[in-house]
Amino acid sequence: MRNLIILLFIGFAISLSSCRQDFVFEPSTGDLTFSKDTIYLDTVFTNIGSSTYTLKVYNRSNKDIKIPLIKLGKDDSKYRMTVDGMTGENNRVFRDVEMLAKDSMYIFVEVTADVADSNPTDFLYTDQIQFDTGSNFQKVELVTLIQDAYFIYPNRTQNPDESYTYEEISLGLDGDGNPINIRASILDENDPVNGNELIWNNSKPYVVYGYAVVPDGKSLQVQPGARIHFHADSGLIVGTGASLKINGELSNTEALENEVIFEGDRLEPLYSDVPGQWGTIWLTQGSTGNEINYATIKNATVGLLIDSNDGNFMTIKNTQIYDSSNLGIYAKTAKIKGENIVINTAGVATLACTLGGNYEFKHCTFNNNWSSSKQVAVLLNNYYKDENNAAVPYDLVQADFINCIIYGSNTYELTFDPASTNLFNYTFTKCLMKFGNSTNTIYASILSNPEIIRNESPKFLNIIKNKLNIGDDSAARGIGIDANVPNDILGMPRTSPYDLGAYNWITFPEEN
């Protein structure tokens, strides 16, 4: 009996399926709806591909429909699209696209265009996604701003097998004795396309592929308002005997029109605070006379790598370094005088003074809210481990912090890592610091120092948005000394009683 019932159910299911008819798709009647009527693809550099943008198309009718044609308006359009995963004819034309009743589909759009393709008055490149170009015509507008730039990239030579050999420089040998080579371009005073590549101005942005190298004995002058964008795994190297002069100036608006800005080459807002988009600015051993003023360095792996500069102090003033995936400033046996520096969020440390060196920081703000239990704001170290795991010591001649804020999300935002055989000198004068109780004797001077305010909040304006201003109820307000830094990072005069960090206190706006 049980088997008979099962056979009856099977027979009934077969009879239903035999009566089923295929879907009947009727021509579209122009009643499609869209998630947006215009797609704004954010600013891209000339001939660099954009991110992918999404349009959702809806068939809200009760009928299965067939769209006779979906296409880009221009036959030679620089846009590309896929429709529900289909590539169509050259990613531009799609015929007889079927949609079920009450269904939707995705269209993904990208663009790669030259500034010459854009409107010469506003540099906008436009097109349309067109649906059913007959009597039921519908459209969605496409708009992109194309920005011209100076492009700096390694030369390449085509090989017989059609592969390419790229211009490289050597960084020495790895631990196994193998050469370390990276793609790089030596900056040229008489480049046939860019002109003098040792002066970076604000006439249009610079886009760097690989590493741009300042050659021995030369100086790279970066003028106010310059914008430098690095591709992935790219950066700037200042060689032996070479120098970097970043000559930014105080800006009058939040656009930072006079500052020099270094960041990645993805201009979409989605990438505005993504760490690790490019490599580093590397001031190599033997580079000389480096000066940085009014610079913003964003989204690098290491913001500044300062490697045994030539014995003279380099200066870093009025400089902001944000969202580094590894370190904000990585100093190795360096000599630095810093004023009005703000560093926020790094995977390891915002400031790492390693292999000894000599440092003086006045009115600086070091904050680290990276989401880990090991990140710190400041790390001091005076040795490294060789291949045999033996400590090779270097003197930390001095590390002076005056009127500084050292803060973050962990209990301890300062780490000492000394080798006892060499100098490990430091002072903290009128500093606010995030630092819990510790039984480690190397921190006894921190715990007993009356010049340090521990575990009181600076109450920053908005850490996520890299706004480390302090307010009228900040614990950093009015407790500093005169450190001979007359203006804060915004150019506002400092008056007694002096505030800690790079900013004078302000009354916060209601929306921050």
Side-chain angles (χ1 to χ4, degrees), residues 246-263:
I246 299 177
N247 305 310
E249 296 177 355
L250 179 65
S251 298
N252 297 315
T253 72
E254 290 187 357
L256 302 179
E257 67 280 0
N258 296 324
E259 285 207 13
V260 174
I261 299 180
F262 298 85
E263 58 185 322

Side-chain angles (χ1 to χ4, degrees), residues 327-349:
L327 297 154
I329 293 179
Y330 182 16
K332 299 163 63 178
T333 325
K335 299 184 75 173
I336 301 171
K337 289 189 176 182
E339 299 176 0
N340 288 337
I341 298 173
V342 181
I343 312 182
N344 189 35
T345 307
V348 177

